[in-house]
Amino acid sequence: MIHLKTEKEIEMIANSGLIIAKLFAEIKSLVVPGVDTADLDTFAETFIRSHKGAIPAFKGLYGFPGSVCVSVNEEVVHGIPNKDRVLMEGDILSIDVGVKLNGWCSDSAWTFSVGEIDKETSELLSMTEESLNRAVATVTKDSYIGDIGAAVMNCVEGTKYSIIKDLVGHGIGRDVHEEPQVPNLGKSGHGIQLREGMVLAIEPMLSCGSAEIVTADDEWTIVTQDRSLSAHFEHTVALTSQGARVLTRA
Ligand code: MG
Ligand code: MG
Protein backbone atom coordinates (compact mmCIF):
# COMPACT_ATOMS: atom_id res chain seq x y z
CA MET A 1 0.00 0.00 0.00
CA ILE A 2 1.22 3.48 -0.88
CA HIS A 3 1.24 5.94 2.02
CA LEU A 4 0.43 9.44 0.80
CA LYS A 5 1.98 12.18 2.92
CA THR A 6 0.41 15.40 4.11
CA GLU A 7 2.13 18.75 3.53
CA LYS A 8 3.24 18.71 7.15
CA GLU A 9 4.71 15.23 6.78
CA ILE A 10 6.53 16.24 3.60
CA GLU A 11 8.02 19.12 5.59
CA MET A 12 9.28 16.63 8.18
CA ILE A 13 10.91 14.55 5.43
CA ALA A 14 12.41 17.73 3.95
CA ASN A 15 14.00 18.51 7.34
CA SER A 16 15.48 15.02 7.33
CA GLY A 17 16.66 15.39 3.73
CA LEU A 18 18.36 18.68 4.45
CA ILE A 19 20.73 16.88 6.84
CA ILE A 20 21.84 14.63 3.97
CA ALA A 21 22.30 17.61 1.63
CA LYS A 22 24.47 19.31 4.24
CA LEU A 23 26.38 16.09 4.90
CA PHE A 24 27.28 15.74 1.23
CA ALA A 25 28.48 19.35 1.13
CA GLU A 26 30.74 18.64 4.13
CA ILE A 27 32.00 15.17 3.26
CA LYS A 28 32.97 16.14 -0.28
CA SER A 29 36.30 17.62 0.80
CA LEU A 30 37.13 14.44 2.77
CA VAL A 31 36.83 12.15 -0.25
CA VAL A 32 40.52 12.26 -1.17
CA PRO A 33 43.31 9.74 -1.82
CA GLY A 34 44.46 8.08 1.41
CA VAL A 35 41.19 8.23 3.33
CA ASP A 36 39.51 4.94 4.22
CA THR A 37 35.80 4.27 3.95
CA ALA A 38 35.43 3.58 7.70
CA ASP A 39 36.65 7.13 8.43
CA LEU A 40 34.00 8.52 6.10
CA ASP A 41 31.36 6.40 7.82
CA THR A 42 32.41 7.70 11.24
CA PHE A 43 32.29 11.28 9.98
CA ALA A 44 28.82 10.72 8.50
CA GLU A 45 27.44 9.11 11.64
CA THR A 46 28.80 11.87 13.89
CA PHE A 47 27.43 14.55 11.55
CA ILE A 48 23.97 12.97 11.40
CA ARG A 49 23.74 12.44 15.17
CA SER A 50 24.83 16.05 15.81
CA HIS A 51 21.30 17.00 14.68
CA LYS A 52 18.85 16.50 17.52
CA GLY A 53 16.45 13.63 16.83
CA ALA A 54 18.43 12.36 13.81
CA ILE A 55 19.86 8.87 13.37
CA PRO A 56 21.54 7.08 10.45
CA ALA A 57 18.58 5.19 8.97
CA PHE A 58 20.72 2.48 7.35
CA LYS A 59 22.49 1.40 10.54
CA GLY A 60 21.06 -2.00 11.39
CA LEU A 61 18.55 -1.86 8.51
CA TYR A 62 18.24 -5.52 7.47
CA GLY A 63 21.39 -5.94 9.58
CA PHE A 64 23.61 -3.50 7.63
CA PRO A 65 26.65 -2.76 9.84
CA GLY A 66 27.53 0.77 8.68
CA SER A 67 25.88 4.16 9.00
CA VAL A 68 26.25 4.84 5.28
CA CYS A 69 26.92 2.67 2.23
CA VAL A 70 30.29 3.35 0.61
CA SER A 71 30.76 1.70 -2.78
CA VAL A 72 34.05 2.05 -4.66
CA ASN A 73 34.52 1.72 -8.45
CA GLU A 74 32.82 -1.52 -9.64
CA GLU A 75 30.79 -1.65 -6.43
CA VAL A 76 27.28 -0.45 -7.28
CA VAL A 77 25.63 -0.21 -3.86
CA HIS A 78 25.71 -1.54 -0.28
CA GLY A 79 29.48 -1.31 0.22
CA ILE A 80 30.38 -1.81 3.88
CA PRO A 81 32.64 0.81 5.49
CA ASN A 82 36.08 -0.74 5.95
CA LYS A 83 39.31 0.49 7.57
CA ASP A 84 41.26 -1.45 4.93
CA ARG A 85 39.51 0.14 1.97
CA VAL A 86 41.74 3.12 1.31
CA LEU A 87 40.73 5.40 -1.55
CA MET A 88 43.23 5.96 -4.34
CA GLU A 89 43.67 8.69 -6.92
CA GLY A 90 41.33 8.00 -9.85
CA ASP A 91 38.76 6.00 -7.86
CA ILE A 92 35.09 6.86 -7.72
CA LEU A 93 33.09 6.52 -4.52
CA SER A 94 29.32 6.32 -4.19
CA ILE A 95 28.03 7.35 -0.78
CA ASP A 96 24.43 6.39 -0.06
CA VAL A 97 22.91 8.00 3.02
CA GLY A 98 19.65 7.49 4.89
CA VAL A 99 18.58 9.78 7.72
CA LYS A 100 15.67 9.29 10.08
CA LEU A 101 14.69 12.52 11.82
CA ASN A 102 11.92 12.42 14.39
CA GLY A 103 10.57 9.30 12.71
CA TRP A 104 10.77 10.49 9.08
CA CYS A 105 13.24 9.08 6.56
CA SER A 106 15.11 10.55 3.62
CA ASP A 107 17.52 8.82 1.26
CA SER A 108 20.08 10.22 -1.16
CA ALA A 109 23.22 9.07 -2.94
CA TRP A 110 26.07 10.81 -4.70
CA THR A 111 29.11 9.54 -6.58
CA PHE A 112 32.32 11.45 -5.94
CA SER A 113 35.60 11.42 -7.82
CA VAL A 114 38.74 10.76 -5.81
CA GLY A 115 41.35 13.20 -7.07
CA GLU A 116 41.61 13.29 -10.86
CA ILE A 117 39.52 10.80 -12.82
CA ASP A 118 39.73 9.98 -16.52
CA LYS A 119 37.34 11.35 -19.11
CA GLU A 120 35.26 8.19 -19.52
CA THR A 121 34.71 7.93 -15.77
CA SER A 122 33.84 11.59 -15.55
CA GLU A 123 31.23 11.07 -18.28
CA LEU A 124 29.77 8.13 -16.37
CA LEU A 125 29.22 10.39 -13.37
CA SER A 126 27.69 13.25 -15.35
CA MET A 127 25.48 10.86 -17.34
CA THR A 128 24.13 9.23 -14.19
CA GLU A 129 23.44 12.59 -12.55
CA GLU A 130 21.77 13.82 -15.73
CA SER A 131 19.56 10.71 -15.86
CA LEU A 132 18.45 11.42 -12.28
CA ASN A 133 17.64 15.04 -13.13
CA ARG A 134 15.62 13.97 -16.16
CA ALA A 135 13.79 11.35 -14.11
CA VAL A 136 12.93 13.93 -11.42
CA ALA A 137 11.64 16.29 -14.13
CA THR A 138 8.96 13.75 -15.09
CA VAL A 139 7.36 13.85 -11.63
CA THR A 140 4.05 15.68 -12.03
CA LYS A 141 0.49 14.87 -11.09
CA ASP A 142 -0.18 13.78 -14.66
CA SER A 143 2.67 11.29 -14.84
CA TYR A 144 3.21 7.61 -14.13
CA ILE A 145 5.89 5.53 -12.48
CA GLY A 146 6.84 4.30 -15.98
CA ASP A 147 7.70 7.86 -17.02
CA ILE A 148 10.53 7.92 -14.49
CA GLY A 149 12.21 4.79 -15.87
CA ALA A 150 11.55 5.91 -19.45
CA ALA A 151 13.38 9.18 -18.73
CA VAL A 152 16.44 7.28 -17.47
CA MET A 153 16.31 5.00 -20.54
CA ASN A 154 15.98 7.91 -22.97
CA CYS A 155 18.93 9.64 -21.36
CA VAL A 156 21.20 6.60 -21.63
CA GLU A 157 20.01 5.31 -25.02
CA GLY A 158 22.66 5.47 -27.72
CA THR A 159 25.50 5.83 -25.22
CA LYS A 160 27.88 3.10 -24.06
CA TYR A 161 26.46 3.12 -20.55
CA SER A 162 24.15 0.44 -19.13
CA ILE A 163 21.33 0.81 -16.64
CA ILE A 164 21.58 -1.52 -13.64
CA LYS A 165 18.05 -2.80 -14.11
CA ASP A 166 17.84 -5.19 -11.16
CA LEU A 167 17.98 -2.41 -8.56
CA VAL A 168 15.13 0.05 -8.13
CA GLY A 169 14.05 3.17 -6.29
CA HIS A 170 11.19 3.16 -3.81
CA GLY A 171 8.61 5.02 -1.84
CA ILE A 172 9.87 6.49 1.45
CA GLY A 173 8.40 7.98 4.61
CA ARG A 174 8.12 6.42 8.05
CA ASP A 175 10.20 3.58 6.58
CA VAL A 176 13.19 3.81 4.27
CA HIS A 177 11.63 1.36 1.85
CA GLU A 178 7.94 1.74 1.11
CA GLU A 179 5.79 1.04 -1.90
CA PRO A 180 5.85 1.62 -4.80
CA GLN A 181 9.01 0.34 -6.47
CA VAL A 182 10.53 2.90 -8.83
CA PRO A 183 12.33 1.05 -11.65
CA ASN A 184 15.00 2.71 -13.77
CA LEU A 185 13.45 1.18 -16.88
CA GLY A 186 9.91 1.87 -17.97
CA LYS A 187 7.38 2.88 -20.54
CA SER A 188 5.80 6.34 -20.55
CA GLY A 189 2.21 6.31 -19.36
CA HIS A 190 2.55 2.89 -17.75
CA GLY A 191 2.48 1.77 -14.12
CA ILE A 192 0.95 3.52 -11.16
CA GLN A 193 -0.22 7.10 -11.70
CA LEU A 194 1.60 9.58 -9.49
CA ARG A 195 -0.48 11.39 -6.89
CA GLU A 196 -0.01 14.40 -4.67
CA GLY A 197 1.55 13.28 -1.41
CA MET A 198 3.74 10.56 -2.92
CA VAL A 199 7.35 10.66 -1.78
CA LEU A 200 9.77 8.66 -3.91
CA ALA A 201 13.47 7.87 -3.77
CA ILE A 202 14.57 7.99 -7.40
CA GLU A 203 17.96 6.41 -7.91
CA PRO A 204 19.47 5.53 -11.28
CA MET A 205 22.61 3.39 -11.26
CA LEU A 206 24.68 3.12 -14.44
CA SER A 207 27.76 1.15 -15.41
CA CYS A 208 30.42 1.56 -18.09
CA GLY A 209 29.92 -2.07 -19.06
CA SER A 210 27.55 -4.83 -18.04
CA ALA A 211 24.06 -4.22 -16.72
CA GLU A 212 24.37 -7.43 -14.72
CA ILE A 213 25.23 -7.46 -11.03
CA VAL A 214 26.47 -10.02 -8.52
CA THR A 215 26.76 -10.04 -4.73
CA ALA A 216 30.31 -10.04 -3.32
CA ASP A 217 31.60 -12.52 -0.75
CA ASP A 218 30.72 -10.18 2.13
CA GLU A 219 27.07 -10.89 1.17
CA TRP A 220 26.31 -7.16 1.09
CA THR A 221 28.25 -5.39 -1.62
CA ILE A 222 26.65 -5.46 -5.05
CA VAL A 223 29.21 -5.29 -7.87
CA THR A 224 28.92 -5.24 -11.64
CA GLN A 225 29.37 -8.72 -13.06
CA ASP A 226 32.14 -7.61 -15.42
CA ARG A 227 33.69 -5.37 -12.73
CA SER A 228 33.10 -2.27 -14.82
CA LEU A 229 32.78 1.07 -13.02
CA SER A 230 29.39 2.07 -11.69
CA ALA A 231 27.81 5.32 -10.50
CA HIS A 232 24.72 6.05 -8.39
CA PHE A 233 22.81 9.28 -7.84
CA GLU A 234 19.64 9.49 -5.76
CA HIS A 235 17.20 12.08 -4.48
CA THR A 236 14.10 11.86 -2.32
CA VAL A 237 11.35 13.67 -4.23
CA ALA A 238 7.83 14.66 -3.12
CA LEU A 239 4.91 15.36 -5.40
CA THR A 240 3.23 18.40 -3.82
CA SER A 241 0.39 20.67 -4.93
CA GLN A 242 3.14 22.90 -6.40
CA GLY A 243 4.71 20.01 -8.35
CA ALA A 244 7.88 18.01 -7.69
CA ARG A 245 9.99 19.06 -4.75
CA VAL A 246 13.46 17.56 -4.25
CA LEU A 247 13.79 17.08 -0.49
CA THR A 248 17.47 16.13 -0.40
CA ARG A 249 18.88 19.22 -2.08
CA ALA A 250 20.04 22.24 -0.05
MG1 MG B 1 19.92 5.38 -1.02
MG1 MG C 1 17.09 4.41 -1.92
Side-chain angles (χ1 to χ4, degrees):
M1 142 171 207
I2 296 172
H3 299 285
L4 298 176
K5 280 79 183 178
T6 63
E7 271 182 43
K8 204 176 153 199
E9 289 168 343
I10 289 170
E11 214 49 58
M12 301 282 277
I13 300 171
N15 290 336
S16 169
L18 189 57
I19 296 174
I20 306 185
K22 286 182 183 164
L23 170 60
F24 281 144
E26 291 279 327
I27 210 166
K28 195 179 164 147
S29 63
L30 303 178
V31 181
V32 291
V35 78
D36 68 68
T37 59
D39 280 342
L40 295 173
D41 184 67
T42 302
F43 178 85
E45 177 166 10
T46 306
F47 184 89
I48 292 166
R49 290 189 193 278
S50 73
H51 297 79
K52 194 171 177 290
I55 57 169
F58 294 167
K59 192 150 204 173
L61 185 67
Y62 315 117
F64 187 75
S67 288
V68 296
C69 300
V70 276
S71 309
V72 185
N73 296 338
E74 75 279 6
E75 298 170 356
V76 184
V77 286
H78 304 165
I80 299 173
N82 185 341
K83 207 71 209 155
D84 296 326
R85 190 70 201 244
V86 178
L87 299 181
M88 300 198 311
E89 179 86 20
D91 283 345
I92 53 173
L93 173 72
S94 300
I95 306 182
D96 193 351
V97 184
V99 165
K100 194 172 203 170
L101 174 67
N102 300 321
W104 291 95
C105 300
S106 57
D107 185 5
S108 181
W110 203 266
T111 301
F112 298 92
S113 55
V114 182
E116 290 285 314
I117 56 172
D118 64 40
K119 190 164 169 278
E120 188 193 17
T121 311
S122 175
E123 277 172 12
L124 169 71
L125 268 53
S126 47
M127 177 69 64
T128 312
E129 187 181 359
E130 169 73 11
S131 71
L132 171 60
N133 290 336
R134 291 214 211 164
V136 170
T138 67
V139 175
T140 69
K141 66 174 172 35
D142 300 316
S143 59
Y144 295 80
I145 285 286
D147 296 339
I148 295 171
V152 176
M153 283 174 75
N154 289 338
C155 185
V156 173
E157 200 170 68
T159 72
K160 59 187 163 191
Y161 305 106
S162 305
I163 299 169
I164 308 292
K165 58 186 186 309
D166 292 341
L167 298 170
V168 298
H170 49 93
I172 182 165
R174 286 271 183 205
D175 294 309
V176 172
H177 296 127
E178 297 186 354
E179 288 181 41
Q181 290 198 344
V182 184
N184 294 307
L185 300 175
K187 233 177 157 179
S188 286
H190 283 66
I192 296 161
Q193 186 163 18
L194 302 189
R195 290 173 61 189
E196 193 182 316
M198 279 189 184
V199 180
L200 304 173
I202 300 175
E203 49 181 316
M205 289 147 265
L206 303 187
S207 90
C208 285
S210 174
E212 304 302 321
I213 50 174
V214 291
T215 306
D217 290 341
D218 65 15
E219 294 180 353
W220 270 107
T221 314
I222 307 281
V223 301
T224 52
Q225 193 173 49
D226 62 0
R227 303 298 191 265
S228 58
L229 297 177
S230 173
H232 180 204
F233 286 80
E234 176 181 26
H235 274 308
T236 295
V237 182
L239 181 50
T240 73
S241 56
Q242 318 289 315
R245 179 178 170 197
V246 178
L247 306 180
T248 42
R249 199 172 330 187

